[in-house]
């Protein structure tokens, strides 16, 4: 068990594409995941990608622990969301496929940009595939907040941070101050 140091925006590991995991069942991958789970629990986010802990591999962990809260935030922002609770998921070598062209915009945070938030358009519905720690395939469809979290995490594997996805950088700023001017920034879900 270990809490790992989280890379912050500007570190080269966050700007480079990550490498595929050759053997998802290797013990050192399990050790990495254990440490990432500890790190995420300590930091209090909903997701974490391996490059954020300075490991350039295509591996992410995420969950949607408070689906009802996420859904309420979406409704408050005028969006529909049918996100169900998603248990902690280890997703290795993921591939995302948008299901349709529909997008919605909501506020995101990121553990690599502490204290910041921004409004980010994401595909509303996606299919994602990959493998788990046991090497078994994962193949899911997701929408709303669940889809957003997966897109955010997988962007880390391509060296992309959420500000690079933003349509209006005027909606990027310090979470504490955005609260004062915007009704529903989603600042409680850093990933
Ligand atoms: Ni992030």
């Amino acid at each position: 068990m270990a809490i790992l140091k989280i890379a912050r925006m500007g570190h080269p590991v966050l700007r480079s594409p990550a490498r595929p995991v050759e053997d998802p069942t290797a013990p050192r991958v399990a050790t990495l995941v254990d440490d990432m789970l500890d790190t995420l629990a300590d930091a209090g986010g909903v997701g974490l990608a391996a490059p954020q802990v300075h490991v350039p591999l295509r591996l992410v962990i995420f969950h949607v622990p408070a689906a009802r809260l996420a859904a309420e935030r979406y409704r408050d922002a005028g969006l529909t969301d049918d996100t169900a609770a998603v248990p902690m998921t280890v997703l290795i070598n993921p591939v995302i496929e948008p299901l349709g062209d529909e997008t919605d915009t909501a506020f995101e945070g990121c553990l690599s940009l502490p204290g910041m938030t921004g409004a980010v358009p994401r595909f509303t519905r996606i299919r994602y595939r990959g493998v788990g720690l046991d090497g078994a395939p994962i193949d899911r469809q997701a929408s709303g907040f669940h889809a957003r979290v997966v897109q955010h995490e997988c962007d880390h594997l391509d060296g992309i941070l959420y500000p690079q996805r933003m349509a209006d950088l005027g909606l990027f700023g310090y979470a504490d101050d955005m609260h004062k001017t915007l009704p529903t920034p989603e600042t409680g879900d850093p990933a």
Side-chain angles (χ1 to χ4, degrees), residues 22-133:
E22 290 185 10
D23 179 5
T25 65
R28 67 183 184 89
V29 177
T31 300
L32 169 64
V33 167
D34 278 348
D35 290 347
M36 287 175 63
L37 291 167
D38 290 342
T39 304
L40 182 59
D42 177 69
V46 296
L48 188 66
Q52 290 183 277
V53 292
H54 305 84
V55 178
L57 291 174
R58 303 189 79 81
L59 184 157
V60 303
I61 63 173
F62 61 89
H63 63 153
V64 181
R68 193 169 56 84
L69 182 58
E72 285 173 359
R73 285 173 171 163
Y74 257 62
R75 277 200 301 277
D76 289 347
L79 303 169
T80 58
D81 184 47
D82 55 0
T83 301
V86 181
M88 185 63 77
T89 298
V90 179
L91 185 65
I92 298 170
N93 298 334
V95 176
I96 292 178
E97 172 190 349
L99 298 176
D101 298 328
E102 185 185 349
T103 63
D104 53 50
T105 297
F107 280 84
E108 297 184 10
C110 180
L111 293 171
S112 295
L113 287 76
M116 308 296 289
T117 190
V120 186
R122 300 284 187 186
F123 289 109
T124 304
R125 295 183 57 80
I126 62 169
R127 176 185 183 185
Y128 65 91
R129 283 172 280 187
V131 297
L133 263 183

